[in-house]
Amino acid sequence: MKKPLIVRHKGRAGNRLFQYFFCAELARRSGNHCVADVYIPDLGIEIGARDAEHGSLFCIEGMHEFDIARLAATLRDGGYTGATFRGFAMRLEYYDRAFCKHLLNMKAGAGTGFGPEFLVINIRAGDVFNGPYPDLVSQGYGGPYGADHMYKGVHPDYRPLPLSYYEKLIKETGLKPVFVGEAGSHKAYEAALHRRFPNAVFTGTRTPKEDFLTLMGSSHIALAISSFSWLGAWLSEAHTIHIPVAGMFDPQQRPDVNLLPPPSDTRYVRHPMPRLQWQGSPEQIAELFA
């Protein structure tokens, strides 16, 4: 019987999906572990808990940078009855796309995404403006492994993107814009998008799973600075993925994170942006609407 590799989740759906994928990759490499206690309610993913029968657990903790080969060897050869993982692990080199797609077992059905005449623009707004949603804990986030990690207020490496950036993308691609995601969670930003792009399609308030499947099923995608957005596009069969080189996607700003795909992945179009730490200051907010 395989030993449990227990996921100690932190954050929202994108973070949790990375944590699941990382533990699954570790379990695959070790050969003698299976992933347990996966809970991603926004995407309808749940794998039940399994406690170690006796003895001690090998605890893996950190942020993004891990020696995955060494960890797999420790899991394989150590005398532990199981292991736990608590971290984020957002580094492209850990993951095999086909394996992750198999794990996810989620496919965009007919009519879920938008075809080649559309540019699907994913919006992240709510928590980068206003801090965490007040009902996160009631939705299953937080608890003993997450509440103390919910950041208060804005996050310096996640940021909303200026309307001028979207205007540039739409002009350069010649595609019809479709706005998907959290625009409705910040009324001023949503209103500004409607004023600037009156002929765009707005999908409105939907579930995170619906948004994720829309990304996976679309032909041309413009990412938000978001792990959720990044994974939806990376797992898709999109022809073009526009990635802003900013925030956590900027290897100069966050060298511990590696989510900027290499030039060999020709789906990605890089868009360098001014480097800044997002604080939601009046000056930064004004720049969004310029």
Side-chain angles (χ1 to χ4, degrees):
M1 184 167 155
K2 291 189 173 182
K3 303 174 185 180
L5 174 48
I6 300 166
V7 187
R8 303 302 199 198
H9 279 302
K10 294 193 275 189
R12 296 200 291 161
N15 291 340
R16 289 176 173 232
L17 200 52
F18 267 112
Q19 292 151 18
Y20 172 35
F21 288 164
F22 186 74
C23 288
E25 181 61 28
L26 270 179
R28 178 171 74 152
R29 294 192 189 200
S30 76
N32 61 353
H33 281 69
C34 61
V35 181
D37 211 5
V38 175
Y39 185 55
I40 313 175
D42 283 342
L43 299 180
I45 299 171
E46 184 171 1
I47 300 173
R50 281 186 52 201
D51 293 325
E53 296 174 8
H54 57 80
S56 60
L57 293 174
F58 176 57
C59 298
I60 305 166
E61 293 196 16
M63 290 295 287
H64 297 284
E65 296 176 297
F66 298 92
D67 186 338
I68 193 169
R70 182 184 61 81
L71 289 174
T74 300
L75 293 179
R76 183 172 58 251
D77 303 327
Y80 301 98
T81 58
T84 63
F85 173 75
R86 190 171 181 170
F88 292 98
M90 295 183 196
R91 293 191 64 86
L92 185 57
E93 67 266 24
Y94 301 148
Y95 303 108
D96 176 79
R97 184 164 162 260
F99 178 61
C100 291
K101 289 189 74 168
H102 174 74
L103 286 172
L104 188 62
N105 194 27
M106 184 186 294
K107 295 182 179 179
T112 305
F114 288 83
E117 68 271 33
F118 295 97
L119 176 64
V120 173
I121 300 171
N122 190 215
I123 296 294
R124 176 168 182 166
D127 60 345
V128 294
F129 283 104
N130 305 322
Y133 293 107
D135 57 350
L136 277 179
V137 174
S138 68
Q139 293 175 359
Y141 296 101
Y145 306 118
D148 56 328
H149 295 279
M150 290 180 184
Y151 54 81
K152 303 296 187 278
V154 294
H155 190 294
D157 302 310
Y158 290 80
R159 52 176 282 201
L161 294 168
L163 274 61
S164 58
Y165 169 66
Y166 298 133
E167 199 166 52
K168 177 174 177 288
L169 281 184
I170 293 164
K171 182 177 180 180
E172 289 178 351
T173 63
L175 300 173
K176 183 171 183 176
V178 179
F179 289 96
V180 174
E182 296 179 338
S185 64
H186 192 276
K187 297 303 181 184
Y189 194 59
E190 180 185 32
L193 287 168
H194 277 278
R195 286 194 302 271
R196 187 75 66 95
F197 309 107
N199 297 318
V201 176
F202 289 83
T203 59
T205 302
R206 304 188 307 169
T207 67
K209 185 173 181 178
E210 288 173 320
D211 287 344
F212 199 79
L213 288 172
T214 296
L215 293 174
M216 288 187 66
S218 295
S219 298
H220 303 285
I221 304 168
L223 297 183
I225 301 178
S226 152
S227 55
F228 179 93
S229 184
W230 190 94
L231 281 166
W234 184 65
L235 293 167
S236 77
E237 298 302 324
H239 302 302
T240 309
I241 302 169
H242 296 272
I243 183 167
V245 184
M248 70 173 187
F249 296 157
D250 180 354
Q252 299 299 314
Q253 183 163 332
R254 286 299 302 268
D256 58 326
V257 175
N258 176 22
L259 293 181
L260 190 62
S264 58
D265 192 337
T266 56
R267 299 180 300 163
Y268 286 85
V269 180
R270 302 181 182 204
H271 296 272
M273 303 188 74
R275 188 167 299 127
L276 61 84
Q277 296 281 310
W278 173 257
Q279 300 297 329
S281 67
E283 293 78 14
Q284 290 178 340
I285 295 292
E287 181 66 24
L288 293 179
F289 301 102

